[in-house]
Amino acid sequence: MKLFNRLFRRAAPAIDDAQWQQAVQGMPFLHRLDADELARLKSLAARFLDSHAVSGAGGFEVGNDVALCIAAQACLPVLNLTLELYDDMAGVIVYPAAFVVRHSEVDEAGVVHEWEAAMAGEALDAGGAVVLSWEDAQEDHLWDDGGNLVIHEFVHKIDMGSGGANGCPPFLAAFHAGIDPARWKAAFSTAYDDFCTRVDALERRLPPDFDEENEHHLDLYAELAQALPMDPYGAEAPAEFFAVASEAFFARPAPLRATYPQVFELLEKYYRQRVR
Ligand SMILES: [Zn+2]
C-alpha cells in the first residue's frame, strides 16, 4: 500500500514564494543553505504542513507566517533524511507564551506527587503532539545564540522513534549504515558526563541564594553560561543533551565542534549535513 500511496500522492499545496523568503530571512541559521537545499527545505515544509496540523491554543491564532516558521525549523534536521521520522506525531500545538503543565509522579513509597510547571515546549511521546510557546520560539531566553526551541522539540520527536527519548535516535538503514551505535553511545555518554561536570562547576559559582526571579542572578548565570559550548539545560538528561547539542549543531556549531568533536562528527553523520 505504501507504493500505491506514493504513486498517487497528491502534491502538497505550494508555499507562497514571498512568504517563504520572508521566513528564511528571519532565521539566520538557514542562511548557510545553498539554493538547492533551500528549495528542498521549502518543498519539505510544504509536505510537512500538508500532513501535520499546526493549531493555536490558549487564544493564539496560527497565521501562515507562524506555521511556515515552525515547519522550516522542524524540517531542517530531516532535510537529508526523511519526513517519515515525524509520522508518529499528532500535530503541532502553539500557545502564545509559556504554558502550564500538570505533572504527577508516584515515588518509591507509592506517594503521588503533583506539581505544575510553566513550559516553553514539550514533545509528547507515543504519537503525541509537539507543543510550543510562540514567545519562547521567537526569542532566546538565557542563551543568546545557538538556542532553538523548535529544533529542540522536534529532535526529541526523532529521538522517540527508537523507543522513548534517551539520546539515541533511530539509525535508518538507508542513511546511517556508517554510524556504529556503540560508538554513538560511548561518545555521547563521555561528552554528557563532561558537560555535567562543567555545569556543576558553573552552578558552584552562583550565589547560594540564587533566585530565578532575580535579574542580576540571571545575568550572572547567562554570563557564566557563555563559556559553555551549549545551553546548560543539556545537563538535565542524556535526551536533553542530544536535543541541545542538535540545537547548537544547527544554530551555533563552532563551540560544539571545538569542545565535543566526536559528538559533532556523529551529528554530521546523523543529519547528513555540513554546518561548518
Ligand atoms: Zn527537552
Side-chain angles (χ1 to χ4, degrees), residues 59-94:
F60 189 67
E61 277 188 37
V62 176
N64 275 347
D65 54 338
V66 170
L68 207 49
C69 183
I70 290 170
Q73 293 175 88
C75 291
L76 181 63
V78 299
L79 178 63
N80 292 335
L81 299 172
T82 167
L83 214 45
E84 285 172 20
L85 284 162
Y86 297 144
D87 276 357
D88 187 31
M89 181 176 68
V92 185
I93 296 166
V94 192

mmCIF file of all heavy atoms in Angstrom, residues 59-94:
data_model
loop_
_atom_site.group_PDB
_atom_site.id
_atom_site.type_symbol
_atom_site.label_atom_id
_atom_site.label_comp_id
_atom_site.label_asym_id
_atom_site.label_seq_id
_atom_site.Cartn_x
_atom_site.Cartn_y
_atom_site.Cartn_z
ATOM 1 N N GLY A 59 -5.847 30.833 23.006
ATOM 2 C CA GLY A 59 -6.203 32.081 22.341
ATOM 3 C C GLY A 59 -5.247 32.488 21.222
ATOM 4 O O GLY A 59 -5.418 33.539 20.616
ATOM 5 N N PHE A 60 -4.264 31.655 20.937
ATOM 6 C CA PHE A 60 -3.293 32.012 19.893
ATOM 7 C C PHE A 60 -3.817 31.599 18.520
ATOM 8 O O PHE A 60 -4.314 30.501 18.334
ATOM 9 C CB PHE A 60 -1.961 31.314 20.162
ATOM 10 C CG PHE A 60 -0.840 31.783 19.279
ATOM 11 C CD1 PHE A 60 -0.349 33.073 19.397
ATOM 12 C CD2 PHE A 60 -0.277 30.938 18.330
ATOM 13 C CE1 PHE A 60 0.696 33.514 18.585
ATOM 14 C CE2 PHE A 60 0.764 31.371 17.520
ATOM 15 C CZ PHE A 60 1.256 32.658 17.646
ATOM 16 N N GLU A 61 -3.700 32.532 17.563
ATOM 17 C CA GLU A 61 -4.104 32.201 16.198
ATOM 18 C C GLU A 61 -2.860 31.987 15.356
ATOM 19 O O GLU A 61 -1.992 32.851 15.277
ATOM 20 C CB GLU A 61 -4.946 33.321 15.610
ATOM 21 C CG GLU A 61 -6.394 33.198 16.028
ATOM 22 C CD GLU A 61 -7.294 34.189 15.312
ATOM 23 O OE1 GLU A 61 -7.058 34.456 14.120
ATOM 24 O OE2 GLU A 61 -8.204 34.706 15.974
ATOM 25 N N VAL A 62 -2.787 30.828 14.737
ATOM 26 C CA VAL A 62 -1.606 30.495 13.941
ATOM 27 C C VAL A 62 -1.772 31.047 12.527
ATOM 28 O O VAL A 62 -2.611 30.573 11.767
ATOM 29 C CB VAL A 62 -1.402 28.960 13.897
ATOM 30 C CG1 VAL A 62 -0.240 28.600 12.981
ATOM 31 C CG2 VAL A 62 -1.152 28.420 15.293
ATOM 32 N N GLY A 63 -1.003 32.067 12.203
ATOM 33 C CA GLY A 63 -1.024 32.609 10.842
ATOM 34 C C GLY A 63 -0.070 31.822 9.960
ATOM 35 O O GLY A 63 0.698 30.988 10.450
ATOM 36 N N ASN A 64 -0.101 32.114 8.655
ATOM 37 C CA ASN A 64 0.796 31.444 7.706
ATOM 38 C C ASN A 64 2.254 31.620 8.089
ATOM 39 O O ASN A 64 3.058 30.704 7.955
ATOM 40 C CB ASN A 64 0.612 32.020 6.300
ATOM 41 C CG ASN A 64 -0.540 31.345 5.591
ATOM 42 O OD1 ASN A 64 -1.027 30.314 6.053
ATOM 43 N ND2 ASN A 64 -0.975 31.928 4.487
ATOM 44 N N ASP A 65 2.592 32.840 8.563
ATOM 45 C CA ASP A 65 3.991 33.116 8.892
ATOM 46 C C ASP A 65 4.477 32.227 10.027
ATOM 47 O O ASP A 65 5.579 31.680 9.977
ATOM 48 C CB ASP A 65 4.182 34.606 9.235
ATOM 49 C CG ASP A 65 3.230 35.077 10.335
ATOM 50 O OD1 ASP A 65 2.179 34.432 10.546
ATOM 51 O OD2 ASP A 65 3.547 36.086 11.002
ATOM 52 N N VAL A 66 3.617 32.041 11.042
ATOM 53 C CA VAL A 66 3.988 31.201 12.189
ATOM 54 C C VAL A 66 4.136 29.742 11.750
ATOM 55 O O VAL A 66 5.129 29.071 12.059
ATOM 56 C CB VAL A 66 2.934 31.327 13.316
ATOM 57 C CG1 VAL A 66 3.166 30.298 14.407
ATOM 58 C CG2 VAL A 66 2.961 32.734 13.898
ATOM 59 N N ALA A 67 3.149 29.260 10.995
ATOM 60 C CA ALA A 67 3.175 27.861 10.545
ATOM 61 C C ALA A 67 4.425 27.600 9.699
ATOM 62 O O ALA A 67 5.102 26.575 9.850
ATOM 63 C CB ALA A 67 1.917 27.541 9.750
ATOM 64 N N LEU A 68 4.746 28.551 8.852
ATOM 65 C CA LEU A 68 5.891 28.404 7.952
ATOM 66 C C LEU A 68 7.207 28.389 8.728
ATOM 67 O O LEU A 68 8.113 27.594 8.449
ATOM 68 C CB LEU A 68 5.876 29.593 6.989
ATOM 69 C CG LEU A 68 6.502 29.402 5.634
ATOM 70 C CD1 LEU A 68 5.991 28.133 4.991
ATOM 71 C CD2 LEU A 68 6.182 30.608 4.749
ATOM 72 N N CYS A 69 7.290 29.273 9.699
ATOM 73 C CA CYS A 69 8.488 29.381 10.517
ATOM 74 C C CYS A 69 8.723 28.077 11.293
ATOM 75 O O CYS A 69 9.849 27.566 11.359
ATOM 76 C CB CYS A 69 8.288 30.568 11.460
ATOM 77 S SG CYS A 69 9.668 30.906 12.485
ATOM 78 N N ILE A 70 7.658 27.513 11.839
ATOM 79 C CA ILE A 70 7.775 26.261 12.586
ATOM 80 C C ILE A 70 8.115 25.115 11.630
ATOM 81 O O ILE A 70 9.007 24.299 11.909
ATOM 82 C CB ILE A 70 6.471 25.971 13.367
ATOM 83 C CG1 ILE A 70 6.332 26.985 14.517
ATOM 84 C CG2 ILE A 70 6.451 24.539 13.903
ATOM 85 C CD1 ILE A 70 4.987 26.968 15.209
ATOM 86 N N ALA A 71 7.436 25.061 10.497
ATOM 87 C CA ALA A 71 7.668 23.961 9.545
ATOM 88 C C ALA A 71 9.106 23.975 9.030
ATOM 89 O O ALA A 71 9.754 22.926 8.935
ATOM 90 C CB ALA A 71 6.688 24.057 8.379
ATOM 91 N N ALA A 72 9.632 25.167 8.729
ATOM 92 C CA ALA A 72 11.005 25.251 8.202
ATOM 93 C C ALA A 72 12.000 24.727 9.236
ATOM 94 O O ALA A 72 12.926 23.984 8.897
ATOM 95 C CB ALA A 72 11.340 26.689 7.827
ATOM 96 N N GLN A 73 11.791 25.092 10.500
ATOM 97 C CA GLN A 73 12.714 24.647 11.553
ATOM 98 C C GLN A 73 12.545 23.155 11.844
ATOM 99 O O GLN A 73 13.527 22.449 12.085
ATOM 100 C CB GLN A 73 12.491 25.456 12.831
ATOM 101 C CG GLN A 73 12.893 26.909 12.656
ATOM 102 C CD GLN A 73 12.547 27.729 13.889
ATOM 103 O OE1 GLN A 73 13.335 27.828 14.811
ATOM 104 N NE2 GLN A 73 11.360 28.297 13.907
ATOM 105 N N ALA A 74 11.304 22.678 11.802
ATOM 106 C CA ALA A 74 11.060 21.245 12.036
ATOM 107 C C ALA A 74 11.710 20.411 10.940
ATOM 108 O O ALA A 74 12.213 19.312 11.192
ATOM 109 C CB ALA A 74 9.557 20.976 12.081
ATOM 110 N N CYS A 75 11.699 20.940 9.721
ATOM 111 C CA CYS A 75 12.219 20.167 8.582
ATOM 112 C C CYS A 75 13.733 20.248 8.446
ATOM 113 O O CYS A 75 14.328 19.401 7.783
ATOM 114 C CB CYS A 75 11.544 20.623 7.285
ATOM 115 S SG CYS A 75 9.802 20.151 7.230
ATOM 116 N N LEU A 76 14.362 21.238 9.071
ATOM 117 C CA LEU A 76 15.820 21.368 8.926
ATOM 118 C C LEU A 76 16.570 20.097 9.356
ATOM 119 O O LEU A 76 17.408 19.602 8.597
ATOM 120 C CB LEU A 76 16.317 22.613 9.681
ATOM 121 C CG LEU A 76 17.822 22.879 9.591
ATOM 122 C CD1 LEU A 76 18.251 23.149 8.150
ATOM 123 C CD2 LEU A 76 18.224 24.048 10.491
ATOM 124 N N PRO A 77 16.279 19.516 10.540
ATOM 125 C CA PRO A 77 17.024 18.305 10.915
ATOM 126 C C PRO A 77 16.798 17.126 9.958
ATOM 127 O O PRO A 77 17.656 16.244 9.864
ATOM 128 C CB PRO A 77 16.487 17.976 12.314
ATOM 129 C CG PRO A 77 15.906 19.243 12.825
ATOM 130 C CD PRO A 77 15.379 19.965 11.616
ATOM 131 N N VAL A 78 15.655 17.075 9.290
ATOM 132 C CA VAL A 78 15.373 15.924 8.416
ATOM 133 C C VAL A 78 15.571 16.265 6.938
ATOM 134 O O VAL A 78 15.160 15.501 6.067
ATOM 135 C CB VAL A 78 13.946 15.353 8.659
ATOM 136 C CG1 VAL A 78 13.822 14.876 10.104
ATOM 137 C CG2 VAL A 78 12.847 16.354 8.344
ATOM 138 N N LEU A 79 16.227 17.391 6.673
ATOM 139 C CA LEU A 79 16.419 17.835 5.285
ATOM 140 C C LEU A 79 17.051 16.750 4.416
ATOM 141 O O LEU A 79 16.656 16.565 3.265
ATOM 142 C CB LEU A 79 17.283 19.106 5.274
ATOM 143 C CG LEU A 79 17.613 19.688 3.896
ATOM 144 C CD1 LEU A 79 16.346 20.143 3.171
ATOM 145 C CD2 LEU A 79 18.569 20.871 4.028
ATOM 146 N N ASN A 80 18.037 16.041 4.939
ATOM 147 C CA ASN A 80 18.705 14.983 4.161
ATOM 148 C C ASN A 80 18.353 13.599 4.678
ATOM 149 O O ASN A 80 19.076 12.634 4.450
ATOM 150 C CB ASN A 80 20.222 15.187 4.186
ATOM 151 C CG ASN A 80 20.611 16.438 3.407
ATOM 152 O OD1 ASN A 80 19.889 16.877 2.517
ATOM 153 N ND2 ASN A 80 21.738 17.025 3.755
ATOM 154 N N LEU A 81 17.217 13.534 5.417
ATOM 155 C CA LEU A 81 16.736 12.245 5.922
ATOM 156 C C LEU A 81 15.344 12.023 5.338
ATOM 157 O O LEU A 81 15.198 12.061 4.125
ATOM 158 C CB LEU A 81 16.739 12.247 7.460
ATOM 159 C CG LEU A 81 18.126 12.449 8.109
ATOM 160 C CD1 LEU A 81 18.018 12.638 9.615
ATOM 161 C CD2 LEU A 81 19.038 11.264 7.795
ATOM 162 N N THR A 82 14.373 11.825 6.185
ATOM 163 C CA THR A 82 13.020 11.605 5.671
ATOM 164 C C THR A 82 11.987 12.202 6.629
ATOM 165 O O THR A 82 12.153 12.129 7.858
ATOM 166 C CB THR A 82 12.738 10.098 5.477
ATOM 167 O OG1 THR A 82 11.337 9.916 5.281
ATOM 168 C CG2 THR A 82 13.166 9.268 6.687
ATOM 169 N N LEU A 83 10.930 12.735 6.039
ATOM 170 C CA LEU A 83 9.834 13.293 6.829
ATOM 171 C C LEU A 83 9.115 12.204 7.627
ATOM 172 O O LEU A 83 8.375 12.489 8.565
ATOM 173 C CB LEU A 83 8.853 13.974 5.861
ATOM 174 C CG LEU A 83 8.105 15.228 6.295
ATOM 175 C CD1 LEU A 83 8.987 16.235 6.993
ATOM 176 C CD2 LEU A 83 7.383 15.844 5.104
ATOM 177 N N GLU A 84 9.346 10.948 7.234
ATOM 178 C CA GLU A 84 8.696 9.833 7.942
ATOM 179 C C GLU A 84 9.112 9.783 9.420
ATOM 180 O O GLU A 84 8.417 9.181 10.233
ATOM 181 C CB GLU A 84 9.045 8.495 7.271
ATOM 182 C CG GLU A 84 8.291 8.305 5.962
ATOM 183 C CD GLU A 84 8.749 7.085 5.180
ATOM 184 O OE1 GLU A 84 9.364 6.182 5.780
ATOM 185 O OE2 GLU A 84 8.491 7.045 3.960
ATOM 186 N N LEU A 85 10.215 10.437 9.757
ATOM 187 C CA LEU A 85 10.619 10.495 11.174
ATOM 188 C C LEU A 85 9.573 11.233 12.015
ATOM 189 O O LEU A 85 9.578 11.123 13.235
ATOM 190 C CB LEU A 85 11.991 11.166 11.306
ATOM 191 C CG LEU A 85 13.177 10.277 10.889
ATOM 192 C CD1 LEU A 85 14.420 11.094 10.629
ATOM 193 C CD2 LEU A 85 13.448 9.213 11.956
ATOM 194 N N TYR A 86 8.692 11.992 11.365
ATOM 195 C CA TYR A 86 7.626 12.706 12.087
ATOM 196 C C TYR A 86 6.256 12.056 11.874
ATOM 197 O O TYR A 86 5.228 12.661 12.173
ATOM 198 C CB TYR A 86 7.563 14.170 11.638
ATOM 199 C CG TYR A 86 8.822 14.954 11.948
ATOM 200 C CD1 TYR A 86 9.281 15.943 11.073
ATOM 201 C CD2 TYR A 86 9.541 14.728 13.113
ATOM 202 C CE1 TYR A 86 10.424 16.673 11.345
ATOM 203 C CE2 TYR A 86 10.690 15.450 13.392
ATOM 204 C CZ TYR A 86 11.127 16.425 12.508
ATOM 205 O OH TYR A 86 12.258 17.148 12.784
ATOM 206 N N ASP A 87 6.237 10.844 11.328
ATOM 207 C CA ASP A 87 4.944 10.184 11.099
ATOM 208 C C ASP A 87 4.179 9.994 12.400
ATOM 209 O O ASP A 87 2.966 10.101 12.438
ATOM 210 C CB ASP A 87 5.156 8.805 10.441
ATOM 211 C CG ASP A 87 5.290 8.921 8.926
ATOM 212 O OD1 ASP A 87 5.156 10.061 8.409
ATOM 213 O OD2 ASP A 87 5.549 7.898 8.269
ATOM 214 N N ASP A 88 4.920 9.711 13.472
ATOM 215 C CA ASP A 88 4.290 9.393 14.749
ATOM 216 C C ASP A 88 4.045 10.673 15.558
ATOM 217 O O ASP A 88 4.542 10.833 16.662
ATOM 218 C CB ASP A 88 5.235 8.441 15.517
ATOM 219 C CG ASP A 88 4.584 7.910 16.785
ATOM 220 O OD1 ASP A 88 3.356 7.766 16.797
ATOM 221 O OD2 ASP A 88 5.316 7.653 17.762
ATOM 222 N N MET A 89 3.305 11.593 14.957
ATOM 223 C CA MET A 89 3.086 12.875 15.640
ATOM 224 C C MET A 89 1.683 13.376 15.319
ATOM 225 O O MET A 89 1.302 13.489 14.166
ATOM 226 C CB MET A 89 4.116 13.899 15.150
ATOM 227 C CG MET A 89 3.960 15.247 15.835
ATOM 228 S SD MET A 89 5.237 16.400 15.336
ATOM 229 C CE MET A 89 4.801 16.673 13.631
ATOM 230 N N ALA A 90 0.935 13.687 16.373
ATOM 231 C CA ALA A 90 -0.458 14.100 16.183
ATOM 232 C C ALA A 90 -0.572 15.474 15.526
ATOM 233 O O ALA A 90 -1.570 15.788 14.897
ATOM 234 C CB ALA A 90 -1.170 14.094 17.529
ATOM 235 N N GLY A 91 0.415 16.312 15.668
ATOM 236 C CA GLY A 91 0.341 17.665 15.119
ATOM 237 C C GLY A 91 1.166 18.591 15.987
ATOM 238 O O GLY A 91 1.892 18.154 16.877
ATOM 239 N N VAL A 92 1.042 19.878 15.710
ATOM 240 C CA VAL A 92 1.805 20.869 16.469
ATOM 241 C C VAL A 92 0.800 21.820 17.122
ATOM 242 O O VAL A 92 -0.135 22.284 16.457
ATOM 243 C CB VAL A 92 2.761 21.664 15.543
ATOM 244 C CG1 VAL A 92 3.631 22.609 16.359
ATOM 245 C CG2 VAL A 92 3.627 20.722 14.718
ATOM 246 N N ILE A 93 0.972 22.070 18.406
ATOM 247 C CA ILE A 93 0.075 22.973 19.135
ATOM 248 C C ILE A 93 0.897 24.167 19.595
ATOM 249 O O ILE A 93 1.980 23.991 20.165
ATOM 250 C CB ILE A 93 -0.561 22.240 20.334
ATOM 251 C CG1 ILE A 93 -1.455 21.096 19.810
ATOM 252 C CG2 ILE A 93 -1.376 23.198 21.202
ATOM 253 C CD1 ILE A 93 -1.857 20.103 20.861
ATOM 254 N N VAL A 94 0.402 25.365 19.317
ATOM 255 C CA VAL A 94 1.184 26.562 19.636
ATOM 256 C C VAL A 94 0.422 27.459 20.611
ATOM 257 O O VAL A 94 -0.702 27.903 20.316
ATOM 258 C CB VAL A 94 1.517 27.374 18.356
ATOM 259 C CG1 VAL A 94 2.564 28.436 18.667
ATOM 260 C CG2 VAL A 94 2.000 26.464 17.233
#
